[in-house]
Amino acid sequence: QVQLVESGGGVVQPGRSVRLSCAASGFTFSDFGMHWVRQAPGKGLEWVALIWYDGSNKHNVESVKGRFTISRDNSKNTLYLEMSSLRVEDTAVYYCARDLRRRPAAGTGFDYWGQGTLVTVSS
Amino acid sequence: DIQMTQSPSSLSASVGDRVTITCRASQSISNYLNWYQQKPGKAPKLLIYGASTLLSGVPSRFSGSGSGTDFTLSISSLQPEDFATYYCQQSHTPPLYTFGQGTKLEMK
């Protein structure tokens, strides 16, 4: 069965960096686009970043541009989110999610999600 | 950017009730609208994509409709496991896959 397992969260000081990982299993990881979505405590969902199946195309939400980098290693079936210059407002549960397609496009959706990893940015 | 607005923000209902949740887009998104269910402490689950296509395994009591700017998620006969928060999401303008603010469905 499809499984996505995030790790790497914790408490981090403002301005510091952290790398999240998402280990995928139960499907051919290299056949699907992937996303990171976050949810601040008690708040709604916010799409953060996407990457195509082969890593050739990536996009971030404006609020994290220049600070967050999405990447993947298809040989390790793992998705990453490198987060730098962290701000208090980045505090959230970060979910990785699988896209319905290889190349996320109009009309797609996110059909499998991990359980999330909490990143708390605090001094 | 396209804004997604759900109504109501919260809703109280009883087992067996029929409920409808509305999602409105700030501009036309054709039928590029998805619905997710999220239970407390859990990840979201995709229920419907393309406004009306149920994902495999989703009970048939769930249905979606709409196009353009106005969409609805209906649950024909509420079951205890349906009490959750529901989010709409537009996929019309990738890569900005905007979510609505959520509708919390609570037991009356």
Side-chain angles (χ1 to χ4, degrees):
Chain A
Q1 71 282 19
V2 172
Q3 273 201 309
L4 297 169
V5 180
E6 300 94 337
S7 60
V11 179
V12 59
Q13 292 180 325
R16 302 300 291 266
S17 300
V18 69
R19 186 177 80 161
L20 306 183
S21 300
C22 169
S25 60
F27 67 102
T28 304
F29 180 67
S30 58
D31 277 350
F32 291 89
M34 297 294 296
H35 301 264
W36 287 99
V37 177
R38 68 183 178 182
Q39 187 169 35
K43 303 297 184 182
L45 301 167
E46 180 184 31
W47 172 82
V48 174
L50 72 83
I51 187 167
W52 282 15
Y53 71 105
D54 59 357
S56 63
N57 203 358
K58 310 174 186 180
H59 291 280
N60 293 339
V61 69
E62 190 65 34
S63 60
V64 308
K65 278 183 180 173
R67 301 190 300 122
F68 290 12
T69 302
I70 189 172
S71 63
R72 65 191 297 160
D73 186 336
N74 285 345
S75 69
K76 296 182 178 179
N77 293 336
T78 303
L79 176 73
Y80 302 101
L81 185 67
E82 190 77 44
M83 307 164 64
S84 64
S85 302
L86 281 162
R87 305 168 181 169
V88 171
E89 55 265 33
D90 295 319
T91 294
V93 174
Y94 285 76
Y95 296 100
C96 63
R98 191 182 82 168
D99 197 276
L100 288 169
R101 308 179 180 187
R102 286 187 159 202
R103 303 176 185 86
T108 196
F110 307 169
D111 64 346
Y112 285 95
W113 298 59
Q115 85 288 351
T117 187
L118 175 62
V119 175
T120 302
V121 184
S122 173
S123 53
Chain B
D1 295 358
I2 297 176
Q3 308 300 318
M4 307 301 294
T5 304
Q6 291 181 231
S7 61
S9 295
S10 63
L11 175 60
S12 294
S14 301
V15 172
D17 285 352
R18 177 182 177 87
V19 299
T20 298
I21 297 169
T22 297
C23 180
R24 175 165 289 174
S26 58
Q27 64 188 73
S28 178
I29 58 170
S30 183
N31 69 333
Y32 296 143
L33 192 283
N34 305 324
W35 289 100
Y36 296 83
Q37 176 193 68
Q38 187 180 32
K39 296 181 179 179
K42 301 294 186 181
K45 173 186 173 183
L46 178 62
L47 300 175
I48 291 170
Y49 67 96
S52 60
T53 302
L54 251 64
L55 219 65
S56 176
V58 174
S60 59
R61 62 182 179 272
F62 290 91
S63 64
S65 65
S67 66
T69 60
D70 295 319
F71 301 86
T72 59
L73 171 70
S74 296
I75 310 172
S76 60
S77 178
L78 269 175
Q79 298 302 299
E81 60 268 28
D82 299 336
F83 294 97
T85 299
Y86 293 85
Y87 293 92
C88 62
Q89 178 200 34
Q90 66 85 14
S91 61
H92 180 266
T93 52
L96 294 178
Y97 296 105
T98 321
F99 291 90
Q101 83 279 14
T103 295
K104 187 173 184 179
L105 177 54
E106 298 175 301
M107 191 177 298
K108 187 181 288 184

